[in-house]
Every structure is written in structure tokens, then in C-alpha cells.
Amino acid sequence: QVQLVESGGGSVLPGGSLRLSCAVSGSFFGINVMGWYRQAPGKERELVANITSGGSRYYADSVKGRFAISRDNAKNTVYLGLKSLKPEDTAVYYCTAETTDSNLGRSDHWGQGTQVTVSS
């Protein structure tokens, strides 16, 4: 069983910064893509950023230049740095990880979500 535990959400003023963390634990052979989605009230869940095991990164246009994704493979942890936050960044942020098992089967896993609120 694979578990993803997120931390680092909170409430900030517009222009503020946060850093989200997500630690992956459990039984798996490796972790491929790790990423972050978000879902605002009344909106669909959207991909914010992801990073491959080789370090290639993707960012949604709405967060380019403001958010930074990174990973520590030794710790099986992915991070999301958020800066210059805007009220429209308010959402529940979900961590995701695609793991590989010993038979090279792939599985997608989700964290429980962490709330980010940007408000004055």
C-alpha cells in the first residue's frame, strides 16, 4: 500500500508565499511522475505542475514564473513552492505520484489534499 502525506498549506495574504511538501511511503519499486493538482470551489480539478524522475518539469500557464516544483528522490518527497500568491490560487492542493512495482506495473496515487487560502 502506498501513502502520500501532504503538509504546508495555510492562509496567506496576496503576494505571500507557501511551500507544500508531500512524502510518499509504502511498498513500491520506484516513483515516476510526481505532481500537484488543485481544485477550487465549484471548479474542476486541474494540473498545476509535475516533475518526472529525470527532472523534467511541467507548469500550468497560470502558475508559470510563480510556482516551482522539485523532488528529493532519496526522501521520496515532492515539493511545491508557491510565491506571489493570488486570491485565484485559493484551492485544495493534491499531491500525486505514479509508482512502479516489482513487476513494472504502474499505479497512480493521491494525497488527502491540503488547503491553500489567499485572502486579504
Side-chain angles (χ1 to χ4, degrees):
Q1 189 173 359
V2 176
Q3 291 186 325
L4 279 65
V5 179
E6 300 150 344
S7 60
S11 296
V12 296
L13 296 172
S17 301
L18 286 172
R19 190 189 192 209
L20 308 182
S21 300
C22 173
V24 183
S25 63
S27 178
F28 51 86
F29 182 74
I31 304 176
N32 303 317
V33 181
M34 305 180 83
W36 294 89
Y37 283 73
R38 68 184 180 186
Q39 188 167 20
K43 294 188 177 181
E44 293 186 354
R45 191 172 296 188
E46 63 173 348
L47 175 63
V48 175
N50 63 26
I51 183 169
T52 68
S53 56
S56 295
R57 295 168 171 83
Y58 164 85
Y59 294 100
D61 288 342
S62 58
V63 306
K64 282 181 181 177
R66 300 189 299 120
F67 292 7
I69 190 168
S70 61
R71 62 190 283 174
D72 184 333
N73 292 327
K75 295 181 178 179
N76 294 327
T77 299
V78 62
Y79 306 95
L80 186 66
L82 299 77
K83 66 178 184 180
S84 302
L85 282 162
K86 305 175 182 180
E88 51 263 43
D89 294 317
T90 295
V92 178
Y93 284 70
Y94 297 91
C95 169
T96 67
E98 180 191 78
T99 61
T100 301
D101 59 32
S102 57
N103 296 316
L104 301 183
R106 298 189 176 195
S107 301
D108 292 320
H109 309 278
W110 291 79
Q112 79 283 0
T114 185
Q115 177 71 44
V116 172
T117 302
V118 185
S119 175
S120 56

